[in-house]
Amino acid sequence: MEVPWPFFIAFVDKFKHRIYNVRIQAVHQRKGVVTGNEEKMEREMIVVLDFGGQYNQLIARRVRECNVYCEVHPYHMDLEKLKGMNPKGIIFTGGPNSVYGEGSPLCDPRVFELGVSILGICYGSQLMAHMLGGHVATAPVSEYGKTEVEVDPGRRLFRDVAPRTICWMSHTDYIEKAPEDFVVTAHTPVCPVAAMENPEKGLYAVQFHPEVVHTREGMKMLHNFVIDICGCKGDWKMDSFVETSIRAIREKVGKGKVLCALSGGVDSSVAAVLLAKAVGKQLTCVFVDHGLLRKNEGDEVEAVFGPDGPYDLNFVRVNAQERFYRKLAGVTEPEKKRKIIGEEFIRVFEEEANKIGAVDYLVQGTIYPDVIESGLGKSAVIKSHHNVGGLPDHVNFKEIVEPLRLLFKDEVRRAGLELGIPEYLVYRQPFPGPGLGVRIIGEVTAEKVKIVQEADAIFREEVAKAGIRDLGQYFAALTNMRSVGCMGDERTYDYAVVLRAVLTTDFMTAEAAQLPWELLGKVTNRIVNEVKGVNRVLYDCTSKPPATVEME
Ligand code: XMP
């Protein structure tokens, strides 16, 4: 049982309002999704069955690091569908439940009879014990964090693993007694069955999490399972991702027309270039400049994707700034602003799509972390996507193409570099779909946008000059506060700009970066001197939680 899960649920609930692409869910169900990687389904693959654990994406990623294709599916996926995928192995994830709790997620018992090797992790291990005749109970002492585990190195799963190895534990339940036909292969002083197996049936279980880096030899264990036990060759390579995707997209799309909503962010840019390389002029990219982009961003996107850029695609730039500003006039409530920006984006996109006429495929830059598939029957697919408003309902298309659906951000960046996308685009920091709209507290006006754009450009320039590279995200925002100042003996009553720089890896939590005082001083001087309408610069020292990264 994984304790941080309620925190995660609370997080998702709290930020549901920010997840704009929920509508995509219905469209997916209606139209089906093409990753462009379907041909890999013919190849050897591992299926991760998701019981609601936090680390399901990480497990998939670790399997890919073994060069084996991997997909995550809900624990209750149809058995025939699972069989049809012909997996070489199955991994059960952890999860927040107790196996003996009412309504706890159980897999189809026939999964154990498929003759496919299974590795149960945490809840997955308890489930295996519970369903196969062992006994799971509340542990007298819960184990959290780094724990020394004694393993039997003679077992295939633990080949080349030290007999005493540090593993990451996170459980309040434990397997008290393994099923009759299982052998216990690891234990800790408080956990009698830290691992167990029935090698004849290809069933393996570990109470700890081999997928997290804190389990020092976890990667070895996963490699042993995937390559040695499941017998995968490990010939799936990220390097060949681009080549294979292009081939698969060409086959899939044929002579069809493809439409892409390009935001200029990393994900949609990489997806667009992949499609451009695959189908060229059959692709039209619609780039909506909503007037809430960073300084020069619209022109930078046009330079890469427009007619003077290196790609042979149809590029439509819609300068809709005034339209957005009109809609936002007088609106101060953050959620209302977000909604207006999202809806207006959809309207503009729809209008352009209608000019193009019926399209066969719609491209989405969805990446793996955008897809939270909880096998618990809550919201089956939740997407947070950098495009502003999700998918328009009325665009006439047959299928969605999501070529990056399997990749993590750093993998998307690698694919982008391989595709020849300029580094400054590939390594761009994340930028929210509603853009500067959520970095201007209160009403958005063209004047305020200009102030933030200029201040932000100065901040970014100075951070780059200072050679600071490890920031998760950093930007300038506009407080809605005006205060008294004096400039050249004159009284001023101007805005306060706030600088925010955070250290984070997952953006779920973040801490304020301790930027050098000298740098902050330089940025402050430049902003008050160069940006009209600003007489004060503040630095946001708040972590997340309790604050968020963005202002609104
Ligand atoms: P918060 O403000 O929620 O931001 O702490 C966490 C991360 O999400 C980005 N963000 C968004 N991205 N659409 C997006 O595509 C949005 O509406 C949105 N709101 C926040 C934010 O920039 C940060 O990286």
Side-chain angles (χ1 to χ4, degrees):
M1 180 159 159
E2 294 169 359
V3 158
W5 179 251
F7 171 76
F8 183 64
I9 296 269
F11 174 86
V12 171
D13 274 339
K14 183 153 178 264
F15 292 92
K16 243 190 230 149
H17 57 279
R18 297 192 170 189
I19 297 169
Y20 281 100
N21 277 23
V22 175
R23 248 203 280 183
I24 195 175
Q25 197 179 326
V27 184
H28 274 186
Q29 281 157 6
R30 208 168 66 228
K31 315 224 178 196
V33 180
V34 181
T35 62
N37 293 285
E38 278 69 14
E39 79 164 30
K40 291 197 183 76
M41 285 182 155
E42 304 305 320
R43 298 185 170 195
E44 54 187 25
M45 82 137 117
I46 299 287
V47 171
V48 173
L49 286 187
D50 175 14
F51 290 86
Q54 291 178 84
Y55 303 127
N56 53 22
Q57 303 164 18
L58 200 55
I59 297 170
R61 189 209 165 100
R62 297 288 181 239
V63 173
R64 278 209 298 280
E65 282 174 15
C66 300
N67 296 327
V68 175
Y69 177 68
C70 182
E71 285 189 4
V72 181
H73 288 275
Y75 72 91
H76 50 63
M77 85 176 291
D78 181 66
L79 191 77
E80 288 308 312
K81 196 171 158 203
L82 178 60
K83 269 186 356 208
M85 290 175 151
N86 198 19
K88 299 272 281 186
I90 296 171
I91 299 178
F92 293 172
T93 72
N97 298 74
S98 278
V99 287
Y100 48 78
E102 205 181 311
S104 59
L106 304 177
C107 64
D108 188 321
R110 291 170 296 173
V111 170
F112 296 110
E113 308 301 327
L114 291 177
V116 177
S117 294
I118 302 177
L119 173 66
I121 294 175
C122 195
Y123 176 86
S125 73
Q126 295 164 9
L127 181 86
M128 197 182 273
H130 178 69
M131 292 183 72
L132 298 176
H135 191 249
V136 176
T138 304
V141 184
S142 304
E143 282 177 309
Y144 296 110
K146 289 180 188 171
T147 310
E148 191 177 76
V149 178
E150 213 170 304
V151 306
D152 177 352
R155 300 282 158 182
R156 279 167 94 189
L157 191 65
F158 299 127
R159 206 181 62 196
D160 296 333
V161 172
R164 286 172 181 273
T165 183
I166 298 296
C167 299
W168 185 259
M169 288 281 196
S170 176
H171 67 111
T172 46
D173 286 356
Y174 72 167
I175 302 170
E176 199 176 48
K177 190 172 165 298
E180 289 287 305
D181 49 353
F182 274 67
V183 187
V184 175
T185 56
H187 64 274
T188 74
V190 294
C191 184
V193 189
M196 61 174 196
E197 64 183 45
N198 178 337
E200 287 73 40
K201 290 195 173 155
L203 302 178
Y204 298 80
V206 289
Q207 177 56 67
F208 51 85
H209 289 271
E211 70 276 20
V212 305
V213 285
H214 310 291
T215 297
R216 278 193 203 142
E217 300 182 272
M219 201 51 215
K220 260 186 217 167
M221 299 174 199
L222 286 172
H223 192 272
N224 286 342
F225 177 71
V226 168
I227 304 296
D228 188 20
I229 294 170
C230 299
C232 292
K233 289 194 286 291
D235 56 2
W236 186 83
K237 289 221 162 44
M238 262 308 293
D239 307 358
S240 63
F241 171 82
V242 166
E243 210 181 289
T244 322
S245 296
I246 290 175
R247 220 173 34 238
I249 290 167
R250 274 190 193 136
E251 261 169 43
K252 192 84 204 174
V253 168
K255 295 201 181 318
K257 254 203 245 179
V258 187
L259 182 64
C260 175
L262 187 65
S263 71
V266 183
D267 308 338
S268 72
S269 297
V270 173
V273 172
L274 204 51
L275 263 293
K277 294 228 165 172
V279 296
K281 285 273 191 211
Q282 286 163 250
L283 172 71
T284 302
C285 286
V286 175
F287 168 58
V288 178
D289 186 341
H290 51 24
L292 303 165
L293 299 170
R294 284 165 290 196
K295 189 179 178 184
N296 299 332
E297 201 166 6
D299 295 341
E300 283 169 14
V301 172
E302 186 167 351
V304 175
F305 294 97
D308 299 329
Y311 307 109
D312 190 26
L313 50 85
N314 298 305
F315 176 79
V316 180
R317 174 173 177 174
V318 192
N319 288 316
Q321 294 92 329
E322 292 311 322
R323 187 172 163 166
F324 279 82
Y325 296 159
R326 265 200 310 277
K327 288 273 176 187
L328 288 167
V331 184
T332 55
E333 210 271 307
E335 281 316 302
K336 207 162 166 205
K337 281 163 64 179
R338 280 174 169 271
K339 217 160 170 233
I340 290 172
I341 298 166
E343 280 177 9
E344 203 53 18
F345 178 89
I346 291 176
R347 296 289 88 79
V348 176
F349 184 71
E350 251 167 23
E351 284 167 25
E352 290 308 313
N354 286 337
K355 285 184 201 161
I356 296 162
V359 289
D360 301 287
Y361 297 93
L362 194 70
V363 183
Q364 282 275 309
T366 319
I367 68 170
Y368 209 72
D370 295 334
V371 186
I372 302 168
E373 279 184 334
S374 147
L376 299 175
K378 295 203 161 60
S379 42
V381 181
I382 301 173
K383 285 168 178 274
S384 174
H385 195 255
H386 60 252
N387 281 344
V388 186
L391 274 180
D393 276 344
H394 308 297
V395 173
N396 194 7
F397 66 97
K398 281 198 300 218
E399 270 183 280
I400 298 168
V401 183
E402 294 184 324
L404 312 177
R405 209 178 148 75
L406 306 171
L407 305 189
F408 279 77
K409 196 81 174 183
D410 61 320
E411 295 174 318
V412 172
R413 291 200 159 112
R414 283 219 304 276
L417 290 178
E418 210 176 302
L419 283 160
I421 301 176
E423 278 197 22
Y424 73 84
L425 254 182
V426 165
Y427 286 108
R428 241 185 196 164
Q429 52 172 321
F431 187 63
L436 302 183
V438 292
R439 292 184 181 171
I440 294 171
I441 297 174
E443 186 187 10
V444 175
T445 63
E447 181 212 358
K448 288 182 184 175
V449 169
K450 180 95 181 121
I451 290 175
V452 186
Q453 282 178 335
E454 295 299 332
D456 182 66
I458 290 171
F459 188 29
R460 283 189 288 135
E461 196 183 309
E462 292 301 331
V463 168
K465 269 197 223 158
I468 296 173
R469 291 186 205 288
D470 55 351
L471 299 176
Q473 211 166 352
Y474 58 102
F475 53 84
L478 192 64
T479 70
N480 205 23
M481 183 191 87
R482 293 171 85 183
S483 65
V484 174
C486 66
M487 268 179 168
D489 296 334
E490 292 276 332
R491 177 188 189 273
T492 58
Y493 189 59
D494 280 333
Y495 285 112
V497 157
V498 59
L499 304 177
R500 181 123 174 91
V502 294
L503 303 174
T504 178
T505 47
D506 56 10
F507 297 92
M508 288 174 147
T509 59
E511 59 176 306
Q514 296 191 19
L515 291 186
W517 192 243
E518 202 188 334
L519 168 67
L520 289 173
K522 197 163 178 194
V523 174
T524 302
N525 266 341
R526 279 196 61 193
I527 290 176
V528 289
N529 285 321
E530 294 174 36
V531 185
K532 208 165 159 284
V534 179
N535 68 356
R536 213 173 274 266
V537 177
L538 314 172
Y539 188 64
D540 187 343
C541 302
T542 333
S543 60
K544 170 185 176 175
T548 54
V549 174
E550 303 292 347
M551 297 289 130
E552 290 195 337

